[in-house]
Amino acid sequence: MDFGFTAEDEAFRVEARAWLGEHAKDAQDRRTWERTLGKAGWIGLGWSEAGYGNRSATLTQQVVWAEEYARSGAPPRSGHIGEKLLAPTLIAHGSEDQKARFLPPIAAGDELWCQGYSEPGAGSDLAGVRTKAELGADGTYRVTGQKIWTSLAHEADWCFVLARTDPDSTRHHGLTFLLVPMDQPGRIEVRPIRQMTGTSDFNEVFFDGARARAEHVVGGEGGGWRVAMSLLGFERGVSTLAQQVGFAAELERVVRTAVETGAVGDPVVRELLVRQWAELRVMRWNALRTLGSSGHVGAPSVAKLLWGGWHQRLGELALRVRGAAAAVGPAEWSPSAPYELDEVQHLFLFSRADTIYGGSDQVQRTIIAERVLGLPREPRG
């Protein structure tokens, strides 16, 4: 793709930057912020071609908005799972009734979503899903099983769930993509997972006969694998470029710290800093190169391998340039605050998971080996 920003794109950037500069500093709770974004027309950019969304925007303008949002310091999004993952999946695979029901509330910031994919025995190996869904005589499915590492499940109104509807099926056969309401006391339980950062960004979700309507099956019963794989392709689109804006800000802080502590005087540290800068540029060029493509099977895996390892090495480098001070917490210990971390310590600890979540490095390399290079399939037990 010949990628570049036009004069219209830059005018769009000026508008986005001005709006964010005026409103981001006043953002309150995350749900209210989603509604503020929706009311101003910033959710669902580009959906207008499908008859939904708030305003039209070209692909490059969607990149502009994502970059400006990352630069603005605005709060983390609660609605991005619905907007960036479910919505394009519905546009591609959903019925007209499903689009009319679910896209407008996402665009308005009124309904939040979470993703029910990973399970204790099916993380990177998504085809190992064991959560089951049985269709009852009343036309509703009963969903039973457990999902794990479910981001924002404690806030979500809905969950899109990959479940096994054919009990005799194996691997990627017999799976169905279901839209499940989360407000089902006694049938759905959400348990936060405390991480080594001290925070609880992820959750376990237990389904005990949770109800899902038959008309909320996307892609037909048994078509879940095709829909799920399509969704994973959307997961690494425009948002990747916005992610890199955040990476650039983190790298800038690490460089500044290296200068302040004198670590930059070490030639090995200087080489590592330059390498991080160069690799970040390569990631950006690769993302721009693949952004408008029809979706090469190996592109998402290459992107995940690049940024996962890069961010993990940045966390290690951030501690290295701080020296011994990196081992000391930002506040005195107290019973009410036994585990306080500063920004650098949080970066280091959280980035340990970068090469695991979203598909581990080993799985990404297997995908590239088998589906791109045509190497023999890995033996299965």
Side-chain angles (χ1 to χ4, degrees):
M1 178 182 182
D2 183 14
F3 191 96
F5 294 112
T6 66
E8 290 78 11
D9 295 335
E10 294 305 331
F12 187 84
R13 185 185 301 277
V14 170
E15 179 187 359
R17 184 174 295 179
W19 188 90
L20 286 164
E22 180 180 351
H23 293 86
K25 62 180 181 297
D26 298 324
Q28 301 173 5
D29 66 275
R30 286 168 37 154
R31 186 175 285 267
T32 300
W33 176 239
E34 288 297 320
R35 294 192 175 110
T36 300
L37 290 168
K39 186 176 181 180
W42 294 113
I43 301 177
L45 298 179
W47 297 357
S48 54
E49 295 180 3
Y52 300 95
N54 284 319
R55 67 170 79 190
S56 61
T58 65
L59 184 60
T60 51
Q61 287 168 351
Q62 293 172 50
V63 171
V64 165
W65 167 254
E67 290 182 335
E68 291 305 315
Y69 191 95
R71 290 191 180 102
S72 71
R77 293 285 309 279
S78 290
H80 67 283
I81 295 175
E83 180 189 9
K84 302 299 184 183
L85 300 184
L86 178 66
T89 302
L90 286 180
I91 291 172
H93 301 285
S95 67
E96 291 305 315
D97 286 344
Q98 289 169 349
K99 295 174 190 176
R101 164 60 185 86
F102 292 108
L103 293 180
I106 294 173
D110 287 335
E111 289 184 347
L112 304 181
W113 287 78
C114 61
Q115 178 178 7
Y117 272 22
S118 295
E119 299 182 3
S124 294
D125 182 19
L126 189 58
V129 161
R130 291 183 293 180
T131 293
K132 63 181 181 179
E134 298 179 354
L135 183 61
D138 61 352
T140 63
Y141 286 88
R142 272 71 167 174
V143 182
T144 302
Q146 179 187 358
K147 298 295 181 177
I148 198 167
W149 308 119
T150 310
S151 302
L152 302 177
H154 58 296
E155 299 180 18
D157 304 295
W158 289 80
C159 181
F160 49 89
V161 176
L162 191 63
R164 194 166 295 281
T165 47
D166 181 354
D168 298 322
S169 65
T170 58
R171 303 300 299 163
H172 59 276
H173 303 287
L175 298 174
T176 298
F177 192 98
L178 293 157
L179 309 180
V180 181
M182 291 292 287
D183 186 14
Q184 299 191 50
R187 293 175 178 162
I188 297 179
E189 180 184 359
V190 177
R191 298 180 190 171
I193 300 173
R194 184 175 173 86
Q195 300 147 224
M196 62 181 177
T197 56
T199 56
S200 300
D201 301 302
F202 306 107
N203 304 271
E204 294 178 284
V205 182
F206 296 87
F207 298 94
D208 185 9
R211 301 298 196 262
R213 293 162 58 177
E215 59 265 36
H216 292 166
V217 169
V218 181
E221 183 172 306
W225 184 256
R226 175 175 58 90
V227 178
M229 292 300 99
S230 176
L231 183 144
L232 290 178
F234 297 124
E235 190 172 19
R236 292 162 192 160
V238 170
S239 59
T240 299
L241 288 161
Q243 178 190 54
Q244 291 168 14
V245 173
F247 286 171
E250 289 176 340
L251 176 58
E252 182 180 345
R253 288 194 290 270
V254 172
V255 172
R256 188 164 56 245
T257 301
V259 172
E260 293 170 352
T261 62
V264 74
D266 183 337
V268 175
V269 170
R270 288 202 303 274
E271 179 184 352
L272 292 173
L273 290 170
V274 171
R275 179 175 295 181
Q276 290 294 118
W277 176 86
E279 290 178 353
L280 183 58
R281 299 297 297 173
V282 169
M283 283 194 287
R284 177 172 175 78
W285 291 329
N286 181 66
L288 293 174
R289 179 179 63 86
T290 61
L291 187 60
S293 66
S294 58
H296 191 285
V297 67
S301 294
V302 170
K304 177 60 168 60
L305 279 173
L306 287 173
W307 74 254
W310 183 92
H311 200 224
Q312 197 170 85
R313 292 190 297 275
L314 182 69
E316 295 166 356
L317 186 55
L319 288 190
R320 179 168 182 167
V321 301
R322 278 272 297 275
V328 180
E332 292 292 329
W333 185 92
S334 69
S336 61
Y339 193 64
E340 294 296 307
L341 299 174
D342 62 26
E343 190 175 62
V344 169
Q345 293 163 336
H346 186 277
L347 166 63
F348 171 76
L349 290 174
F350 191 87
S351 65
R352 306 317 298 167
D354 284 339
T355 54
I356 302 173
Y357 71 79
S360 69
D361 279 10
Q362 292 85 347
V363 168
Q364 305 306 332
R365 291 190 179 100
T366 298
I367 291 172
I368 294 169
E370 296 179 358
R371 303 184 188 177
V372 180
L373 301 179
L375 298 178
R377 291 182 61 84
E378 189 175 63
R380 301 199 181 275

